[in-house]
């Protein structure tokens, strides 16, 4: 199926989210739509999928004009979409989710229905359809599995099966790798190649330069609602980044060597339990003033539980958390904030913001009960607005006004609101979990620069990230987490292969039987200090400076 968009324009008030956008997608092609957060990528795809109506422009399918008043119209025309935030019912099985809404078929053009002649739901046919498509495209999805119990990568495959069951000839993938591990991303790319090999076209919406280079046949770049360029790989990351942002972008942050001071954050034998076991199991580390400790690991190895335990959001069953000598192990989240801990959570939408609240209100969520923002039970609205105006300018938060609902901002601007709030008050420790997940190169550059500034101002920084590039770019020391334990501490020049081995649960390369890694990075054997290189020979004492 040949798809063409001509002069698509969509306005919201004075803002042109899409401004005369034209592009075409050939059968069996991966057409990447690249742009920074807020560039208009998702709006354009919502127009194509019938979720919103364009003010101007045309959609053509095989050269004939088409109008989509709803997603049903788009689906009947052969267009499917996998949204960035999946549209699944957690308590339903895979088969039930896939067939939800098409029990009687999609209409004359799409005869797939799953009702028996008696009018009852034909669950066997539903399971069979899912199994057939899963086998045909190597999706490996169990039709009877409950969606709420599946890993996020498998949930994404369920969404792809949903589109294929509806006979999609064009599949829109909106930021499909935002929540995937590197291994899941490679598996998704395999699936995409198999789909395009069978003639399905894929529109791949992303802001990740390397992934676009790896999978796309054609790349269209949007900036502020307009097409600013189209490229055919191979193309350099620098060229794409400059097109996206409209200026030269530092793809790797520049920083001076760290000058660590005294230990500020001391985590000793921290253990967190839940119904599935011990997601954090006797974990220890120290972070000094003026240094960044990067915690690397494949998602799902205790990182979320660790961060929540450090903030008092999740109970612990053992160990201690100390900030500047003060034991916070039993302190509430409020008390930890007061003690100078700043926190950028992993899920900004669920844990970092109150979506319906304004940007101004979100910027004082952890300071609303203190002067100058309140007096007694009364909020000081002028002070709140003045703070928001200052932070919006300082952190380049792109919003119509301080009164705009935070939930309507792009992901990058939501992250800037959280970062502005957390570093805008007095703090000694900054804990940032997946700080640039889902952000474009311009926003990543901004966030990284701010984190380095925090380090240089003497803050003890902990970065938790599943992106190895981010760990290498920011960390002065690297700790690797696997199944809730630290498997090793390394300097930031450690080879990626060694780091990957530790992330997969490989033993520390000390070569010393019975060796354990202490919080300060030292190797300890049977209670005695030791430091060895990979051959077992003495190497160096624990570092005082990175």
């Amino acid at each position: 199926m040949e798809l063409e968009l001509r002069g698509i324009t969509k306005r919201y008030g004075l803002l042109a989210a899409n401004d005369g956008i034209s592009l075409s997608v050939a059968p069996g092609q991966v057409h990447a739509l690249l742009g920074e957060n807020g560039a208009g990528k998702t709006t354009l795809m919502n127009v194509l999928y019938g979720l919103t109506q364009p003010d101007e422009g045309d959609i053509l399918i095989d050269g004939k004009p088409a109008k989509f008043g709803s997603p049903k119209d788009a689906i009947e025309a052969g267009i499917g979409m996998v949204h960035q935030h999946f549209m699944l019912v957690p308590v339903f099985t895979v088969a039930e989710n896939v067939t939800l809404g098409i029990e009687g078929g999609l209409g004359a053009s799409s005869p797939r229905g799953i009702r028996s002649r008696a009018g009852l739901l034909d669950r066997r046919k539903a399971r069979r359809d899912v199994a057939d498509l899963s086998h045909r495209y190597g999706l490996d999805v169990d039709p009877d599995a409950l969606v709420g119990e599946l890993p996020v990568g498998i949930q994404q495959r369920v969404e792809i099966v949903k589109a294929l069951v509806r006979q999609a000839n064009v599949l829109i993938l909106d930021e499909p790798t935002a929540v995937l591990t590197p291994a899941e991303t490679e598996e998704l790319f395999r699936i995409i190649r198999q789909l395009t090999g069978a003639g399905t076209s894929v529109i791949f919406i992303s802001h990740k330069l390397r992934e676009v280079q790896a999978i796309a046949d054609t790349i269209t770049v949007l900036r502020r609602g307009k097409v600013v360029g189209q490229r055919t790989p191979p193309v350099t990351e620098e060229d794409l980044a400059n097109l996206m942002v409209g200026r030269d972008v530092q793809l790797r942050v520049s920083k001076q060597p760290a000058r660590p001071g005294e230990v500020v954050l001391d985590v000793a034998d921290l253990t967190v339990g839940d119904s599935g076991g011990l997601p954090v199991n006797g974990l220890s580390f120290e972070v000094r003033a003026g240094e960044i400790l990067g915690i690397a690991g494949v998602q799902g190895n205790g990182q979320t539980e660790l961060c929540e335990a450090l903030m008092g959001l999740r109970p612990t069953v053992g160990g201690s958390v100390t900030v500047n000598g003060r034991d916070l192990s039993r302190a509430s989240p409020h008390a930890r904030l007061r003690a100078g801990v700043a926190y950028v959570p992993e899920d900004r939408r669920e844990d970092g913001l109150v979506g319906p609240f304004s940007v101004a209100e979100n910027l004082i969520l952890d300071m609303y009960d203190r002067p100058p923002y309140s007096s007694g039970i009364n909020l000081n609205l002028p002070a709140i607005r003045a703070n928001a105006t200052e932070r919006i300018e300082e952190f380049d938060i792109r919003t119509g006004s301080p009164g705009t609902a935070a939930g309507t901002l792009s992901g990058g601007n939501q992250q800037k609101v959280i970062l502005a709030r957390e570093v805008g008050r007095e703090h000694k420790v900054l804990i940032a979990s997946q700080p640039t997940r889902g952000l474009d190169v311009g926003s990543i550059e901004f966030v990284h620069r701010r984190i380095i500034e925090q380090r240089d101002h003497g803050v003890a920084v902990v970065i938790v990230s599943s992106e190895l590039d981010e760990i290498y770019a920011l960390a002065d020391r690297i700790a690797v987490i696997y199944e809730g334990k630290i498997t090793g501490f390394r300097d930031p020049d450690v080879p990626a292969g060694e780091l990957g081995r530790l992330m997969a649960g490989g033993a520390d390369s000390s070569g010393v039987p019975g060796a354990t890694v202490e919080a300060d990075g030292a190797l300890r054997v049977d209670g005695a200090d030791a430091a060895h290189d990979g051959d077992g020979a003495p190497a160096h004492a624990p570092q005082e400076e990175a």
Side-chain angles (χ1 to χ4, degrees):
M1 184 172 83
E2 185 87 30
L3 173 69
E4 184 179 359
L5 304 180
R6 288 184 184 172
I8 298 295
T9 297
K10 180 63 182 177
R11 300 183 184 89
Y12 295 96
L14 297 177
L15 174 67
N18 293 153
D19 190 356
I21 294 176
S22 299
L23 60 86
S24 61
V25 183
Q29 180 189 59
V30 179
H31 193 120
L33 203 58
L34 189 65
E36 59 182 332
N37 297 107
K41 306 184 298 294
T42 299
T43 299
L44 183 65
M45 292 303 102
N46 285 342
V47 167
L48 177 57
Y49 196 56
L51 287 167
T52 189
Q53 307 307 309
D55 299 315
E56 300 172 19
D58 299 299
I59 300 171
L60 288 84
I61 294 178
D62 291 331
K64 298 177 181 178
K67 290 190 180 295
F68 302 145
S70 70
K72 184 176 183 294
D73 296 337
I75 291 168
E76 289 191 355
I79 296 171
M81 184 169 182
V82 177
H83 299 266
Q84 182 176 358
H85 304 286
F86 303 148
M87 305 294 183
L88 300 172
V89 182
V91 296
F92 281 13
T93 67
V94 168
E96 290 166 343
N97 268 281
V98 166
T99 54
L100 187 63
I102 60 166
E103 294 87 348
L106 287 169
S109 63
S110 300
R112 280 186 190 266
I114 57 167
R115 287 199 183 278
S116 65
R117 291 182 179 178
L120 300 176
L121 190 67
D122 190 343
R123 296 181 184 274
R124 288 184 182 177
K125 185 175 187 305
R127 289 197 296 269
R128 190 165 60 249
D129 284 350
V130 172
D132 287 349
L133 284 167
S134 176
H135 176 73
R136 188 185 312 167
Y137 293 104
L139 294 167
D140 192 22
V141 176
D142 178 4
D144 297 315
L146 284 176
V147 163
E149 297 176 357
L150 296 176
V152 67
I154 304 300
Q155 290 187 27
Q156 186 178 67
R157 297 184 198 180
V158 176
E159 287 279 22
I160 293 173
V161 172
K162 275 176 60 179
L164 295 177
V165 162
R166 289 156 175 78
Q167 301 178 351
N169 295 311
V170 175
L171 182 61
I172 304 166
L173 301 179
D174 188 3
E175 300 285 2
T177 65
V179 292
L180 301 186
T181 65
E184 288 171 332
T185 297
E186 285 300 317
E187 184 62 16
L188 173 65
F189 285 0
R190 180 194 65 78
I191 293 167
I192 289 174
R193 293 185 185 103
Q194 196 155 348
L195 288 169
T196 55
T200 301
S201 303
V202 174
I203 300 177
F204 188 92
I205 305 174
S206 183
H207 56 264
K208 296 186 176 181
L209 305 181
R210 291 186 184 178
E211 292 177 0
V212 165
Q213 289 175 307
I215 196 66
D217 300 307
T218 301
I219 303 169
T220 296
V221 183
L222 300 185
R223 185 170 72 240
R224 297 186 181 253
K226 295 183 178 182
V227 174
V228 293
Q230 191 170 89
R231 297 289 188 270
T232 300
V235 59
T236 67
E237 290 186 26
E238 289 75 14
D239 183 23
L240 293 176
N242 291 350
L243 279 173
M244 283 175 62
V245 183
R247 59 177 174 82
D248 289 338
V249 177
Q250 274 193 310
L251 295 176
R252 189 173 180 89
V253 66
S254 60
K255 61 177 183 176
Q256 298 299 316
R259 302 176 66 95
E262 297 297 318
V263 172
V264 176
L265 176 64
D266 187 357
V267 179
D269 297 320
L270 191 68
T271 302
V272 176
D274 62 18
S275 58
L278 299 175
V280 178
N281 189 0
L283 187 147
S284 300
F285 61 84
E286 296 174 347
V287 189
R288 297 175 178 271
E291 77 163 346
I292 298 174
L293 175 68
I295 298 181
V298 177
Q299 190 69 18
N301 278 281
Q303 297 98 317
T304 300
E305 293 83 356
L306 169 62
C307 291
E308 291 179 352
L310 292 177
M311 283 305 302
L313 297 168
R314 185 181 289 261
T316 61
V317 296
S320 64
V321 178
T322 304
V323 173
N324 271 355
R326 178 183 172 187
D327 189 354
L328 299 177
S329 305
R330 300 292 177 262
S332 67
H334 185 267
R336 297 182 197 221
L337 292 171
R338 286 286 190 272
V341 181
Y343 179 47
V344 178
E346 174 181 330
D347 191 331
R348 54 181 169 267
R349 292 165 62 94
E350 292 295 324
D351 303 321
L353 297 168
V354 181
F357 281 18
S358 69
V359 170
E361 290 165 338
N362 273 279
L363 284 167
I364 60 155
L365 282 182
D366 49 13
M367 300 176 285
Y368 70 92
D369 56 346
R370 288 189 283 175
Y373 308 116
S374 68
S375 177
I377 62 171
N378 297 315
L379 291 175
N380 185 342
L381 298 183
I384 293 172
R385 187 174 183 86
N387 172 71
T389 301
E390 181 181 343
R391 296 297 174 198
I392 287 169
E393 181 177 355
E394 180 184 356
F395 284 80
D396 189 27
I397 300 168
R398 296 179 186 176
T399 176
S401 76
T404 300
T408 66
L409 301 182
S410 68
N413 286 303
Q414 289 180 358
Q415 194 76 334
K416 289 178 182 179
V417 170
I418 297 169
L419 192 62
R421 179 185 67 225
E422 294 304 306
V423 305
R425 58 182 172 81
E426 186 177 348
H427 59 287
K428 308 176 186 71
V429 176
L430 171 61
I431 301 168
S433 181
Q434 314 296 343
T436 60
R437 174 177 285 171
L439 303 190
D440 58 70
V441 288
S443 297
I444 289 171
E445 178 193 34
F446 181 91
V447 171
H448 282 182
R449 190 169 66 246
R450 289 289 177 166
I451 289 173
I452 295 296
E453 286 177 5
Q454 291 297 301
R455 180 203 73 166
D456 293 344
H457 290 153
V459 175
V461 182
V462 179
I463 297 295
V464 178
S465 180
S466 55
E467 299 278 356
L468 278 186
D469 286 347
E470 183 161 63
I471 292 292
Y472 276 116
L474 293 177
D476 301 306
R477 284 191 301 131
I478 300 173
V480 181
I481 188 170
Y482 176 75
E483 293 187 348
K485 297 181 179 180
I486 297 295
T487 57
F489 288 85
R490 293 293 184 270
D491 290 332
D493 57 358
V494 58
E498 181 177 350
L499 208 57
R501 180 177 54 78
L502 290 171
M503 290 170 65
D508 190 272
S509 62
S510 63
V512 182
T516 58
V517 182
E518 297 296 326
D520 58 2
L523 196 65
R524 223 166 285 276
V525 185
D526 296 329
D529 290 346
H532 297 263
D533 61 18
D535 299 323
H540 59 271
Q543 289 186 324
E544 292 299 322
E545 294 188 358

